[in-house]
Coordinates of all heavy atoms in Angstrom, one line a residue:
M1 N -41.7 -6.4 -54.3 CA -40.7 -6.9 -53.3 C -39.8 -5.7 -52.9 O -39.2 -6.0 -51.8 CB -39.9 -8.0 -54.1 CG -40.6 -9.3 -54.3 SD -41.4 -10.0 -52.9 CE -40.0 -10.4 -52.0
N2 N -39.7 -4.6 -53.6 CA -38.8 -3.6 -53.1 C -39.2 -3.1 -51.8 O -38.3 -2.8 -51.0 CB -38.8 -2.5 -54.1 CG -37.9 -2.8 -55.4 OD1 -37.2 -3.7 -55.3 ND2 -38.2 -2.1 -56.4
A3 N -40.4 -2.9 -51.4 CA -40.9 -2.6 -50.1 C -40.5 -3.5 -49.0 O -40.0 -3.1 -47.9 CB -42.3 -2.3 -50.1
T4 N -40.6 -4.8 -49.3 CA -40.2 -5.8 -48.3 C -38.8 -5.9 -48.1 O -38.2 -5.8 -47.0 CB -40.7 -7.2 -48.7 OG1 -42.1 -7.2 -48.9 CG2 -40.3 -8.3 -47.7
I5 N -37.9 -5.6 -49.2 CA -36.5 -5.8 -49.2 C -36.0 -4.5 -48.4 O -35.1 -4.5 -47.6 CB -35.9 -5.8 -50.6 CG1 -36.1 -7.1 -51.2 CG2 -34.4 -5.5 -50.6 CD1 -35.9 -7.3 -52.7
G6 N -36.7 -3.4 -48.6 CA -36.4 -2.2 -48.0 C -36.5 -2.2 -46.4 O -35.9 -1.4 -45.7
K7 N -37.3 -3.2 -45.8 CA -37.4 -3.4 -44.5 C -36.5 -4.2 -43.8 O -36.5 -4.5 -42.6 CB -38.9 -3.8 -44.2 CG -39.9 -2.8 -44.5 CD -41.3 -3.2 -44.3 CE -42.4 -2.2 -44.7 NZ -43.7 -2.7 -44.5
L8 N -35.8 -5.1 -44.7 CA -34.8 -6.1 -44.1 C -33.8 -5.5 -43.1 O -33.5 -6.2 -42.0 CB -34.0 -6.8 -45.2 CG -34.8 -7.8 -46.0 CD1 -34.0 -8.3 -47.2 CD2 -35.3 -8.9 -45.1
P9 N -33.3 -4.3 -43.2 CA -32.4 -3.8 -42.2 C -33.1 -3.7 -40.8 O -32.4 -3.5 -39.7 CB -31.9 -2.5 -42.7 CG -32.0 -2.6 -44.2 CD -33.2 -3.4 -44.4
Q10 N -34.4 -3.6 -40.7 CA -35.1 -3.4 -39.4 C -35.1 -4.9 -38.8 O -35.3 -5.0 -37.6 CB -36.4 -2.9 -39.7 CG -36.6 -1.6 -40.3 CD -38.0 -1.3 -40.8 OE1 -39.0 -1.9 -40.5 NE2 -38.1 -0.2 -41.5
T11 N -34.8 -5.9 -39.4 CA -35.0 -7.3 -39.1 C -33.6 -7.9 -39.0 O -33.4 -8.7 -37.9 CB -35.9 -8.0 -40.0 OG1 -37.3 -7.5 -40.2 CG2 -36.2 -9.5 -39.4
I12 N -32.7 -7.7 -39.9 CA -31.5 -8.4 -40.0 C -30.5 -7.4 -39.6 O -30.1 -6.4 -40.2 CB -31.1 -8.9 -41.5 CG1 -32.3 -9.9 -41.9 CG2 -29.8 -9.7 -41.5 CD1 -32.2 -10.4 -43.2
L13 N -29.7 -7.8 -38.4 CA -28.7 -7.0 -37.9 C -27.5 -6.7 -38.9 O -27.2 -7.7 -39.6 CB -28.1 -7.6 -36.6 CG -27.0 -6.8 -35.9 CD1 -27.6 -5.5 -35.4 CD2 -26.4 -7.6 -34.7
N14 N -27.1 -5.6 -39.0 CA -26.0 -5.2 -39.9 C -26.2 -5.5 -41.4 O -25.4 -6.0 -42.2 CB -24.5 -6.1 -39.6 CG -24.1 -5.5 -38.3 OD1 -24.1 -4.3 -37.9 ND2 -23.6 -6.5 -37.4
S15 N -27.5 -5.4 -41.8 CA -27.8 -5.4 -43.2 C -28.1 -4.1 -43.8 O -28.5 -3.2 -43.1 CB -29.0 -6.4 -43.4 OG -30.2 -5.9 -42.9
Y16 N -27.9 -4.0 -45.1 CA -28.1 -2.7 -45.8 C -28.7 -2.8 -47.1 O -28.5 -3.9 -47.6 CB -26.9 -1.9 -45.9 CG -26.1 -1.7 -44.6 CD1 -25.3 -2.7 -44.0 CD2 -26.3 -0.7 -43.8 CE1 -24.7 -2.6 -42.8 CE2 -25.8 -0.6 -42.6 CZ -25.0 -1.5 -42.0 OH -24.4 -1.4 -40.8
V17 N -29.5 -1.9 -47.7 CA -30.0 -2.0 -48.9 C -29.3 -1.0 -49.8 O -29.3 0.1 -49.5 CB -31.6 -1.7 -48.8 CG1 -32.2 -1.7 -50.3 CG2 -32.4 -2.7 -48.0
I18 N -28.9 -1.5 -51.0 CA -28.3 -0.7 -51.9 C -29.2 -0.5 -53.1 O -29.6 -1.5 -53.8 CB -26.9 -1.2 -52.4 CG1 -26.0 -1.6 -51.2 CG2 -26.2 -0.3 -53.3 CD1 -25.6 -0.4 -50.3
S19 N -29.4 0.6 -53.5 CA -30.4 0.9 -54.6 C -29.7 0.5 -56.0 O -28.6 0.9 -56.1 CB -30.9 2.4 -54.7 OG -31.7 2.6 -55.8
S20 N -30.6 -0.1 -56.9 CA -30.2 -0.3 -58.1 C -30.8 0.8 -59.1 O -30.6 0.5 -60.3 CB -30.6 -1.7 -58.6 OG -31.8 -1.9 -58.6
K21 N -31.5 1.7 -58.6 CA -32.2 2.6 -59.5 C -31.2 3.3 -60.4 O -30.1 3.9 -60.0 CB -32.9 3.7 -58.5 CG -33.7 4.6 -59.3 CD -34.6 5.7 -58.5 CE -35.5 6.5 -59.3 NZ -36.3 7.2 -58.5
G22 N -31.5 3.3 -61.6 CA -30.7 4.1 -62.7 C -29.7 3.1 -63.2 O -29.0 3.5 -64.2
C23 N -29.4 2.0 -62.7 CA -28.5 1.0 -63.2 C -29.0 0.4 -64.5 O -30.2 0.1 -64.6 CB -28.2 -0.1 -62.3 SG -27.2 0.4 -60.8
T24 N -28.2 0.5 -65.6 CA -28.8 0.1 -66.9 C -28.9 -1.4 -67.0 O -28.1 -2.2 -66.6 CB -27.9 0.7 -68.1 OG1 -26.5 0.3 -67.7 CG2 -27.9 2.1 -68.1
A25 N -30.0 -1.7 -67.8 CA -30.4 -3.2 -68.0 C -29.7 -3.7 -69.3 O -29.5 -3.1 -70.2 CB -31.9 -3.2 -67.9
A26 N -29.7 -5.0 -69.2 CA -29.4 -5.9 -70.5 C -30.6 -6.0 -71.3 O -31.6 -5.6 -71.0 CB -28.8 -7.2 -70.0
A27 N -30.3 -6.4 -72.5 CA -31.4 -6.5 -73.4 C -32.6 -7.4 -72.9 O -33.8 -7.0 -73.3 CB -30.8 -7.2 -74.8
D28 N -32.3 -8.3 -72.1 CA -33.5 -9.2 -71.6 C -34.3 -8.5 -70.5 O -35.4 -9.1 -70.2 CB -32.8 -10.6 -71.0 CG -32.1 -10.3 -69.8 OD1 -31.9 -9.1 -69.2 OD2 -31.4 -11.3 -69.3
K29 N -33.9 -7.3 -70.1 CA -34.6 -6.5 -69.0 C -34.7 -7.1 -67.8 O -35.5 -6.7 -67.0 CB -36.0 -6.0 -69.6 CG -36.1 -5.3 -71.0 CD -35.4 -3.9 -70.8 CE -35.5 -3.2 -72.2 NZ -34.5 -2.2 -72.2
L30 N -33.9 -8.2 -67.6 CA -34.1 -8.9 -66.3 C -32.7 -8.8 -65.5 O -32.7 -9.0 -64.3 CB -34.3 -10.5 -66.4 CG -35.6 -10.9 -67.2 CD1 -35.7 -12.3 -67.4 CD2 -36.8 -10.4 -66.2
H31 N -31.7 -8.5 -66.2 CA -30.4 -8.4 -65.6 C -29.8 -7.1 -66.0 O -30.3 -6.3 -66.9 CB -29.5 -9.6 -66.2 CG -29.9 -10.9 -65.9 ND1 -30.8 -11.6 -66.7 CD2 -29.8 -11.7 -64.8 CE1 -31.2 -12.8 -66.2 NE2 -30.5 -12.8 -65.1
F32 N -28.7 -6.7 -65.2 CA -28.0 -5.5 -65.7 C -27.0 -5.8 -66.8 O -26.6 -7.0 -67.0 CB -27.2 -5.0 -64.4 CG -28.0 -4.5 -63.3 CD1 -27.9 -5.4 -62.1 CD2 -29.0 -3.6 -63.4 CE1 -28.6 -5.1 -61.0 CE2 -29.8 -3.3 -62.3 CZ -29.7 -4.0 -61.2
N33 N -26.7 -4.7 -67.5 CA -25.5 -4.8 -68.6 C -24.3 -4.5 -67.7 O -24.3 -4.3 -66.5 CB -25.7 -3.9 -69.7 CG -25.9 -2.5 -69.3 OD1 -25.4 -2.0 -68.2 ND2 -26.3 -1.6 -70.3
A34 N -23.1 -4.6 -68.5 CA -21.8 -4.4 -67.8 C -21.8 -3.1 -67.0 O -21.3 -3.0 -66.0 CB -20.8 -4.6 -68.9
A35 N -22.2 -2.1 -67.7 CA -22.2 -0.6 -66.9 C -23.1 -0.7 -65.8 O -22.7 -0.1 -64.8 CB -22.7 0.4 -68.0
G36 N -24.3 -1.3 -65.8 CA -25.1 -1.4 -64.7 C -24.5 -2.2 -63.5 O -24.7 -1.8 -62.3
Y37 N -23.9 -3.2 -63.9 CA -23.1 -4.0 -62.8 C -22.0 -3.2 -62.2 O -21.7 -3.3 -60.9 CB -22.6 -5.4 -63.3 CG -23.5 -6.4 -63.4 CD1 -23.9 -6.9 -64.7 CD2 -24.2 -6.8 -62.3 CE1 -24.8 -7.9 -64.8 CE2 -25.3 -7.9 -62.4 CZ -25.6 -8.4 -63.8 OH -26.5 -9.4 -63.8
R38 N -21.3 -2.4 -63.0 CA -20.1 -1.7 -62.4 C -20.7 -0.5 -61.6 O -20.2 -0.3 -60.5 CB -19.4 -1.0 -63.6 CG -18.4 -2.0 -64.2 CD -17.4 -1.1 -65.1 NE -18.0 -0.6 -66.2 CZ -18.4 -1.1 -67.5 NH1 -18.0 -2.4 -67.7 NH2 -19.0 -0.6 -68.4
E39 N -21.8 0.0 -61.8 CA -22.4 1.1 -61.1 C -22.9 0.5 -59.8 O -22.7 1.1 -58.7 CB -23.6 1.8 -61.8 CG -24.4 2.9 -60.9 CD -23.5 4.0 -60.5 OE1 -22.5 4.5 -61.2 OE2 -23.7 4.5 -59.4
L40 N -23.6 -0.6 -59.9 CA -24.0 -1.3 -58.6 C -22.8 -1.7 -57.8 O -22.9 -1.4 -56.5 CB -24.9 -2.5 -58.9 CG -25.7 -3.1 -57.7 CD1 -26.6 -2.1 -57.2 CD2 -26.4 -4.3 -58.2
G41 N -21.8 -2.1 -58.3 CA -20.5 -2.4 -57.6 C -20.0 -1.1 -56.8 O -19.5 -1.4 -55.7
K42 N -20.0 0.0 -57.4 CA -19.5 1.1 -57.0 C -20.3 1.6 -55.7 O -19.8 2.0 -54.7 CB -19.5 2.2 -57.9 CG -18.4 2.2 -59.0 CD -18.6 3.3 -60.0 CE -17.7 3.1 -61.3 NZ -18.0 4.1 -62.4
R43 N -21.6 1.4 -55.8 CA -22.6 1.6 -54.7 C -22.4 0.9 -53.5 O -22.2 1.3 -52.3 CB -24.0 1.5 -55.2 CG -24.4 2.7 -56.2 CD -25.8 2.5 -56.8 NE -26.0 3.3 -58.0 CZ -27.1 3.5 -58.5 NH1 -28.2 2.6 -58.1 NH2 -27.2 4.3 -59.6
Y44 N -22.0 -0.5 -53.7 CA -21.7 -1.4 -52.7 C -20.5 -1.1 -52.1 O -20.3 -1.1 -50.9 CB -21.6 -2.9 -53.1 CG -22.9 -3.7 -53.3 CD1 -23.8 -3.8 -54.4 CD2 -23.6 -4.2 -52.1 CE1 -25.0 -4.5 -54.4 CE2 -24.7 -4.8 -52.1 CZ -25.4 -5.0 -53.3 OH -26.6 -5.6 -53.3
A45 N -19.4 -0.8 -52.9 CA -18.2 -0.4 -52.5 C -18.2 0.8 -51.6 O -17.6 0.9 -50.4 CB -17.2 -0.3 -53.5
T46 N -18.9 1.7 -52.0 CA -19.1 3.1 -51.2 C -19.6 2.8 -49.7 O -19.1 3.3 -48.8 CB -19.9 4.0 -51.9 OG1 -19.3 4.4 -53.2 CG2 -20.1 5.3 -51.2
K47 N -20.8 2.0 -49.8 CA -21.3 1.7 -48.4 C -20.4 0.8 -47.6 O -20.2 1.1 -46.4 CB -22.6 0.9 -48.7 CG -23.3 0.5 -47.4 CD -23.7 1.7 -46.6 CE -24.4 1.4 -45.4 NZ -24.7 2.8 -44.6
M48 N -19.6 -0.1 -48.2 CA -18.7 -1.1 -47.4 C -17.7 -0.1 -46.9 O -17.2 -0.4 -45.7 CB -18.2 -2.1 -48.3 CG -17.6 -3.2 -47.6 SD -18.7 -4.0 -46.5 CE -17.6 -4.5 -45.2
L49 N -17.0 0.7 -47.7 CA -16.0 1.6 -47.2 C -16.3 2.5 -46.0 O -15.7 2.9 -45.2 CB -15.3 2.4 -48.3 CG -14.5 1.6 -49.4 CD1 -14.2 2.4 -50.6 CD2 -13.3 1.0 -48.7
S50 N -17.7 3.1 -46.2 CA -18.1 3.9 -45.1 C -18.2 3.0 -43.9 O -17.9 3.6 -42.8 CB -19.4 4.6 -45.5 OG -20.5 3.7 -45.5
L51 N -18.7 1.9 -43.9 CA -18.8 1.0 -42.6 C -17.5 0.7 -42.1 O -17.3 0.7 -40.8 CB -19.6 -0.3 -43.1 CG -21.1 -0.1 -43.4 CD1 -21.6 -1.4 -43.9 CD2 -21.9 0.5 -42.2
L52 N -16.6 0.3 -43.0 CA -15.2 0.0 -42.6 C -14.5 1.2 -41.9 O -13.9 1.2 -40.9 CB -14.4 -0.4 -43.7 CG -14.7 -1.9 -44.1 CD1 -13.9 -2.2 -45.5 CD2 -14.4 -2.9 -43.2
D53 N -14.8 2.4 -42.5 CA -14.4 3.7 -41.8 C -14.8 3.8 -40.5 O -14.2 4.2 -39.7 CB -14.5 4.9 -42.9 CG -13.7 6.0 -42.5 OD1 -12.5 5.9 -42.1 OD2 -14.3 7.1 -42.5
D54 N -16.1 3.7 -40.4 CA -16.7 3.8 -39.1 C -16.2 2.9 -37.9 O -16.0 3.3 -36.9 CB -18.3 3.8 -39.2 CG -18.9 4.9 -40.0 OD1 -18.3 5.9 -40.1 OD2 -20.1 4.7 -40.3
S55 N -16.0 1.7 -38.5 CA -15.5 0.6 -37.5 C -14.1 0.9 -37.1 O -13.7 0.6 -35.9 CB -15.8 -0.8 -38.0 OG -14.8 -1.0 -39.0
S56 N -13.4 1.4 -38.0 CA -11.9 1.7 -37.6 C -11.7 2.7 -36.5 O -10.8 2.8 -35.9 CB -11.1 2.1 -39.0 OG -11.4 3.3 -39.5
K57 N -12.7 3.6 -36.5 CA -12.7 4.8 -35.5 C -12.6 4.1 -34.1 O -12.3 4.9 -33.2 CB -13.7 5.7 -35.8 CG -13.5 6.5 -37.1 CD -14.6 7.4 -37.4 CE -14.5 8.0 -38.7 NZ -15.6 8.9 -39.1
N58 N -13.3 2.9 -34.0 CA -13.4 2.4 -32.6 C -12.5 1.1 -32.4 O -12.9 0.3 -31.6 CB -15.0 1.8 -32.5 CG -15.9 3.0 -32.7 OD1 -15.6 4.1 -32.1 ND2 -16.9 2.9 -33.5
S59 N -11.5 1.0 -33.3 CA -10.5 -0.2 -33.0 C -9.1 0.3 -33.4 O -8.9 1.3 -33.8 CB -11.1 -1.3 -33.9 OG -10.7 -0.9 -35.4
N60 N -8.2 -0.7 -33.3 CA -6.8 -0.4 -33.6 C -6.5 -0.8 -35.1 O -5.4 -0.8 -35.5 CB -5.9 -1.1 -32.6 CG -6.1 -0.5 -31.2 OD1 -6.1 0.7 -31.2 ND2 -6.0 -1.4 -30.2
L61 N -7.5 -1.1 -35.9 CA -7.3 -1.5 -37.3 C -7.0 -0.4 -38.1 O -7.5 0.8 -38.0 CB -8.5 -2.2 -37.8 CG -9.1 -3.5 -37.2 CD1 -10.3 -3.9 -37.9 CD2 -7.9 -4.5 -37.4
K62 N -6.0 -0.6 -38.9 CA -5.7 0.5 -39.9 C -6.2 0.1 -41.3 O -5.8 -1.1 -41.9 CB -4.3 0.7 -40.0 CG -4.0 1.9 -41.0 CD -2.5 2.1 -41.0 CE -2.1 3.2 -41.9 NZ -0.7 3.5 -42.0
I63 N -6.9 0.9 -41.9 CA -7.6 0.5 -43.2 C -6.8 1.4 -44.4 O -6.7 2.5 -44.3 CB -9.2 0.8 -43.3 CG1 -9.8 0.1 -42.3 CG2 -9.6 0.6 -44.7 CD1 -11.3 0.5 -42.1
V64 N -6.3 0.6 -45.2 CA -5.4 1.2 -46.4 C -6.5 1.2 -47.6 O -7.0 0.1 -48.1 CB -4.3 0.3 -46.8 CG1 -3.5 1.0 -47.8 CG2 -3.5 0.3 -45.4
H65 N -6.7 2.4 -48.2 CA -7.5 2.5 -49.4 C -6.5 2.6 -50.5 O -5.8 3.5 -50.7 CB -8.5 3.7 -49.3 CG -9.4 3.8 -48.2 ND1 -10.5 3.1 -48.2 CD2 -9.2 4.4 -46.9 CE1 -11.2 3.4 -47.0 NE2 -10.4 4.0 -46.3
R66 N -6.8 1.7 -51.4 CA -5.9 1.7 -52.7 C -6.6 2.1 -53.9 O -7.8 2.0 -54.0 CB -5.5 0.2 -52.9 CG -4.6 -0.2 -51.9 CD -4.0 -1.6 -52.2 NE -3.0 -1.9 -51.2 CZ -3.0 -3.2 -50.7 NH1 -3.8 -4.1 -51.2 NH2 -2.2 -3.6 -49.7
K67 N -6.0 2.9 -54.8 CA -6.6 3.4 -56.0 C -6.4 2.3 -57.0 O -5.6 1.6 -57.2 CB -6.0 4.6 -56.3 CG -6.3 5.8 -55.4 CD -5.6 7.1 -55.8 CE -6.0 8.2 -54.9 NZ -5.3 9.5 -55.3

């Protein structure tokens, strides 16, 4: 399914694929453990912030990044 999922951005406007490679799995080997979910969340956040930053260059919106 990864090959098919990887092609989605070619079909669905404004869609992106975030890799889960290296995210640690839970004992059931089907889900991530807490550390894996945190890593995946960081990857999603990084992509989203880059998209918001790009869109702010073309608008009057001000984006505030909080720590």
Side-chain angles (χ1 to χ4, degrees):
M1 289 305 296
N2 285 341
T4 300
I5 292 168
K7 293 178 183 176
L8 284 175
Q10 299 168 11
T11 305
I12 301 172
L13 185 64
N14 294 322
S15 66
Y16 304 89
V17 177
I18 307 302
S19 175
S20 64
K21 186 174 183 173
C23 292
T24 52
D28 65 6
K29 304 292 184 202
L30 296 173
H31 300 90
F32 299 115
N33 63 13
Y37 281 118
R38 283 191 296 272
E39 178 58 33
L40 192 58
K42 289 175 188 176
R43 294 175 188 181
Y44 273 102
T46 298
K47 182 60 179 176
M48 193 65 208
L49 289 171
S50 75
L51 294 169
L52 289 171
D53 191 43
D54 287 346
S55 69
S56 71
K57 292 174 186 172
N58 299 318
S59 73
N60 293 323
L61 294 176
K62 181 176 180 180
I63 298 171
V64 177
H65 300 280
R66 296 186 178 138
K67 292 182 181 181

